[in-house]
Structures are given as structure tokens and as C-alpha cells.
Amino acid sequence: SQGKWKNKKRVLIFSSRGINFRTRHLMQDLRTLMPHSKADTKMDRKDQLFVINEVCEIKNCNKCIFFEAKKKQDLYMWLSNTPQGPSAKFLVQNVHTLAELKMTGNCLRGSRPLLSFDPIFDKEPHYALLKELFIQIFGTPQYHPKSQPFVDHVFTFTVTDERIWFRNYQIIEEDASLVEIGPRFVLNLIKIFQGSFGGPTLYENPHYQSPNMHRRLIRLSVAAKFREKHHVKEVQKMKKKGSKVLVKEDPTEVVFETPAEEKPVEIQLVKPESKPIVKDKKKLRKIQRKKQKKLFKTEA
């Protein structure tokens, strides 16, 4: 392109140690979709988060996407404008990568995306701040050396159920319809900080529930069901052991009873005769035939 690259922003995309394979593929997909991104080695868990500002300065990056893994099952994403701020922390859920989705859409590698936002991003102040942060991080600068001068896909950010849903669609030239490419994930906002990876809290999500609390509530619900079943069994046992209520005799029960004649008791003094044992005639014939065959063989 003949234009001059003026907006020289670069995004550092890397993670902490302990991420799983799906997070690693998601991070690689974002690097391929964003030609203005850079990579770095994984950061040690013991290091503090403000060290990332120095890493960004060494890599000559002024934006950062950092994936933080905890307990080998929870994934957090940091979006930050280094080194001044602000920064936002999200819980990443429902991750699906490019290789996993196998969508029919396709786009040119390095092409610049359109950014589509939900109308709610212009109504509330914390969403407006996040919109500006998304524009500066996910938008490819014009005339970037690694980018292509084409616009053939759209990044959509939709707010549903107090979460931000990220989708990537291809723009088909014939009828301008959209076909999903991937990757896709859901961002659950936790906090927005004034500084980069720390500082005063500008906004805290009241609807956020930590994964530990969610797992704890599931365990408590399962335990409550078990206790309820155990209590029902104990009540049934107590009912069985309890004294039975005696019902008073009904005088009308004897009305329809007809007395039968009493038979004299007979005592048998003689032993009954044993029945003769009738042997199977066919078996006797078979035994005789076998004996005859043996005799015939011995004589021969």
C-alpha cells in the first residue's frame, strides 16, 4: 500500500504457565487474526502482574492481552492499555477454537476486520470504556506492513445475560451475508482498573460469581438432595417401628358367616402301602442291547 503507517500500535498476546491446550489454540488463533500482534514466552506464576508492563515496554507494545490460568480449569483474560491504563479483567467461558469449530467461513490472512458492537455499549459508561479498549486492541491499524488492504470479516461484540459474546464472521461478496469463522468465546466482566494490571477499581460487576463459589453451590445442592433422601428413609423406618394402631372389632363382621359341620378327627393307625416302583422298560432294553454288543465283541 502507498499510504503511511501512522497508528503504530502493537498488541502483546501471551499467557501464564499452566494453561490447557484449548487456551493455547485460542491464543494462537488470535495471533493469526491480528497481524499487529506479538508473542512472548509464558510468564511464571510467581511473578507479579505489574511485571507485564516492563515486558510490553521491552517488546515495544502499547496494548496487551494476557491469559491467566488458575487451578488448571479457570481461565482469566486481561485487556490492558500499557503502561498508563485502564485495564479490564474477564472470566473466559465457552471457548471454541478455529480447528474445533470447523466452520464453513474463511477469510484472508492479515485482512482488517470490521468491529460491530451492541447498542448497549453506547448507553452505559463502563461498556463505553470497554468499547474503546476493544477498538484499540482488536482493530488492525491502517497501512500496517503485515496487514492486507481488504475488509472481509467482522468481529462482533454482543451483550447478553450480563456477558460479552465474541464472534467472528466472514462477509460474502455476492450477497453480503455472514458466515461464522471462529473462534468464539464469552467474556464475563469482573473488574475495570484505572491503572495497567492494577490500581483503583473503576467498576466491579455485581452479577459476577466466581467459579469457586459456583462449584461450591453445586456441591451444596447435591449434598442437600442426599440429606433429604436420607431423612425420608429415616422417617419410613420410624413409621415401621412405631406401634400399630389396633382397630376395634366390628360386631357386624359375624353376620355373614355360616357355621360348617365339624368333621370327626380320624387317626390313621396302619402304615400306608408303598406304591410299586415301575421301571422304564425302554432303559432296560437299551442296557440289554449294550450287554449283547459287548459279548459279541469279546467272542469275535
Side-chain angles (χ1 to χ4, degrees):
S1 61
Q2 297 178 359
K4 191 176 180 182
W5 178 33
K6 294 180 181 179
N7 182 15
K8 296 190 176 182
K9 65 177 180 183
R10 301 173 185 86
V11 182
L12 181 65
I13 303 176
F14 72 120
S15 68
S16 65
R17 296 195 180 276
I19 61 171
N20 54 10
F21 70 96
R22 185 168 289 171
T23 308
R24 188 172 67 252
H25 284 285
L26 174 65
M27 189 168 56
Q28 191 61 37
D29 292 343
L30 290 177
R31 287 172 183 166
T32 55
L33 289 172
M34 299 163 64
H36 61 293
S37 63
K38 284 190 175 184
D40 195 21
T41 56
K42 294 178 183 177
M43 196 179 75
D44 198 359
R45 291 180 183 177
K46 296 179 181 178
D47 295 337
Q48 299 294 329
L49 289 177
F50 60 82
V51 179
I52 300 173
N53 295 324
E54 298 177 5
V55 177
C56 292
E57 189 178 355
I58 293 167
K59 286 285 183 178
N60 196 18
C61 297
N62 50 7
K63 302 287 184 294
C64 180
I65 299 177
F66 177 67
F67 291 96
E68 185 181 7
K70 289 185 179 180
K71 294 188 175 182
K72 296 184 180 181
Q73 55 184 342
D74 302 330
L75 178 63
Y76 298 92
M77 179 193 283
W78 285 83
L79 301 179
S80 176
N81 181 24
T82 57
Q84 293 86 12
S87 59
K89 185 180 181 181
F90 300 92
L91 174 68
V92 186
Q93 298 171 326
N94 300 336
V95 177
H96 297 281
T97 58
L98 277 170
E100 183 185 357
L101 284 173
K102 296 181 182 177
M103 293 291 183
T104 55
N106 193 9
C107 67
L108 183 66
R109 182 174 180 138
S111 60
R112 299 179 65 220
L114 291 174
L115 300 181
S116 174
F117 292 93
D118 197 276
I120 199 171
F121 278 94
D122 298 325
K123 295 178 182 178
E124 299 188 21
H126 62 281
Y127 280 130
L129 179 61
L130 290 176
K131 179 181 178 181
E132 186 62 32
L133 197 62
F134 288 145
I135 289 171
Q136 293 184 13
I137 290 176
F138 289 96
T140 304
Q142 194 176 12
Y143 304 121
H144 191 278
K146 291 184 180 179
S147 67
Q148 301 291 338
F150 302 103
V151 178
D152 59 353
H153 63 287
V154 186
F155 290 162
T156 62
F157 299 89
T158 312
V159 178
T160 307
D161 194 20
E162 303 297 334
R163 291 170 175 81
I164 300 170
W165 301 64
F166 175 85
R167 296 288 184 271
N168 181 20
Y169 296 98
Q170 177 201 357
I171 305 172
I172 299 175
E173 295 180 2
E174 287 79 9
D175 53 354
S177 60
L178 299 178
V179 179
E180 188 172 356
I181 304 172
R184 56 161 69 169
F185 51 87
V186 179
L187 299 176
N188 192 357
L189 178 63
I190 303 173
K191 283 184 181 181
I192 301 175
F193 300 96
Q194 186 176 353
S196 178
F197 295 97
T201 303
L202 297 178
Y203 176 78
E204 185 174 358
N205 188 6
H207 305 284
Y208 171 72
Q209 188 183 59
S210 66
N212 291 332
M213 182 60 68
H214 180 66
R215 287 190 287 267
R216 181 174 176 271
L217 292 175
I218 291 173
R219 287 196 300 269
L220 288 174
S221 64
V222 173
K225 286 181 182 178
F226 177 77
R227 282 197 300 270
E228 187 178 353
K229 286 182 180 178
H230 187 66
H231 180 66
V232 170
K233 286 182 180 178
E234 286 185 349
V235 170
Q236 289 176 352
K237 286 180 181 178
M238 293 294 290
K239 284 182 179 178
K240 287 179 182 178
K241 290 180 180 179
S243 59
K244 296 181 180 179
V245 180
L246 296 174
V247 182
K248 294 180 180 180
E249 292 184 359
D250 189 6
T252 59
E253 285 183 357
V254 198
V255 174
F256 298 99
E257 289 183 0
T258 54
E261 295 180 358
E262 293 183 0
K263 294 182 180 181
V265 180
E266 294 180 358
I267 299 170
Q268 191 175 359
L269 300 174
V270 185
K271 185 180 178 182
E273 296 179 357
S274 59
K275 294 180 181 180
I277 300 168
V278 180
K279 293 184 177 179
D280 194 359
K281 293 180 180 180
K282 291 182 180 179
K283 286 185 179 180
L284 292 171
R285 287 173 187 171
K286 286 181 182 178
I287 293 165
Q288 287 175 2
R289 283 174 191 170
K290 285 181 181 179
K291 286 180 181 180
Q292 287 176 2
K293 284 181 181 179
K294 284 183 181 179
L295 289 169
F296 180 73
K297 287 179 181 179
T298 51
E299 288 175 359

